[in-house]
Amino acid sequence: DSGVTQTPKHLITATGQRVTLRCSPRSGDLSVYWYQQSLDQGLQFLIQYYNGEERAKGNILERFSAQQFPDLHSELNLSSLELGDSALYFCASSAPSGGSYNEQFFGPGTRLTVL
Amino acid sequence: DQQVKQNSPSLSVQEGRISILNCDYTNSMFDYFLWYKKYPAEGPTFLISISSIKDKNEDGRFTVFLNKSAKHLSLHIVPSQPGDSAVYFCAASASYGGSQGNLIFGKGTKLSVKP
């Protein structure tokens, strides 16, 4: 158990809909990262938050957004869903310094299926 | 453009023998490298890392070798055990520049260790 929790575990929805994925980092971790893993693909970095502020953006679509709240939990919002958004979405957190040499600890993921 | 490449999608090894997983990278700004192991229906688990100032890091049965001139790293597992069967992801990070701290992942290598 990494200490990172994600809800829900599974999500099935229809095209055009909007969903919210939730992540609680390990106790004390200030950085939260979101990744997408599509079929046969590696993990694609989407976005990073550090202590409530957006720190870096990766390959995140404009239809997607995220935020980190004062209690450090984070939410990833996916809107106008398309079939191609079906994937595993992982959240990770890292130690308080937010520096580059801190290992990231991953949650169990949310499997999103868009029908 | 893939910055981290794992060219072998799968590898099969006999129990007790050595497993060697390879990873190549293209971005010379990467200075920290990590290996993650992933079981089905779970998030990736950190395994071992290496900084670019080293060429080898060992942790029990796991050793990571880094060849900076070739932009190549490898993970050796000796001896391999059936419980090591999983997907192994190579990841890289740069300590400076706009993407510092973010991990760039390869697509993974599925290791099967046969009893």
Side-chain angles (χ1 to χ4, degrees):
Chain A
D1 184 357
S2 66
V4 178
T5 60
Q6 289 186 250
T7 56
K9 202 170 177 64
H10 302 278
L11 200 47
I12 301 175
T13 187
T15 54
Q17 295 298 303
R18 182 180 190 273
V19 297
T20 298
L21 312 184
R22 184 188 166 104
C23 168
S24 293
R26 292 186 319 159
S27 176
D29 284 359
L30 299 181
S31 277
V32 169
Y33 308 79
W34 286 98
Y35 292 86
Q36 178 193 57
Q37 185 184 20
S38 302
L39 194 64
D40 295 331
Q41 296 291 317
L43 288 89
Q44 299 288 321
F45 168 69
L46 296 177
I47 196 164
Q48 178 199 358
Y49 277 82
Y50 177 76
N51 202 20
E53 302 277 332
E54 181 184 304
R55 188 156 186 177
K57 260 184 173 178
N59 300 319
I60 188 166
L61 299 172
E62 285 192 14
R63 300 183 286 108
F64 296 1
S65 64
Q67 53 185 325
Q68 186 179 27
F69 295 87
D71 66 353
L72 300 177
H73 91 271
S74 177
E75 292 181 355
L76 179 67
N77 301 296
L78 315 175
S79 61
S80 302
L81 285 168
E82 301 175 359
L83 296 177
D85 297 328
S86 296
L88 270 167
Y89 291 85
F90 289 103
C91 166
S93 72
S94 66
S97 71
S100 63
Y101 291 153
N102 294 316
E103 293 82 20
Q104 294 179 20
F105 296 86
F106 283 77
T110 292
R111 180 173 291 282
L112 173 66
T113 303
V114 182
L115 301 175
Chain B
D1 178 32
Q2 263 193 288
Q3 298 185 69
V4 177
K5 297 178 186 177
Q6 294 178 257
N7 291 320
S8 298
S10 63
L11 175 68
S12 184
V13 170
Q14 207 65 33
E15 181 179 6
R17 306 294 286 267
I18 184 171
S19 294
I20 300 176
L21 296 98
N22 293 303
C23 177
D24 297 294
Y25 62 96
T26 58
N27 190 338
S28 55
M29 289 177 67
F30 290 148
D31 57 2
Y32 192 59
F33 304 89
L34 307 89
W35 284 93
Y36 281 83
K37 179 168 75 171
K38 185 180 181 304
Y39 293 117
E42 294 183 13
T45 302
F46 170 73
L47 199 55
I48 192 169
S49 62
I50 188 167
S51 163
S52 60
I53 61 173
K54 293 185 173 182
D55 54 18
K56 177 182 172 181
N57 188 26
E58 216 170 328
D59 183 2
R61 297 186 297 115
F62 303 91
T63 303
V64 56
F65 295 92
L66 175 62
N67 183 334
K68 279 196 303 181
S69 60
K71 293 192 177 69
H72 176 84
L73 63 155
S74 60
L75 174 68
H76 293 210
I77 306 174
V78 184
S80 301
Q81 299 173 354
D84 296 329
S85 297
V87 177
Y88 288 78
F89 289 98
C90 170
S93 171
S95 60
Y96 53 94
S99 63
Q100 67 182 86
N102 302 326
L103 297 179
I104 307 300
F105 282 85
K107 291 189 177 182
T109 296
K110 184 175 182 178
L111 174 65
S112 299
V113 180
K114 301 194 182 306

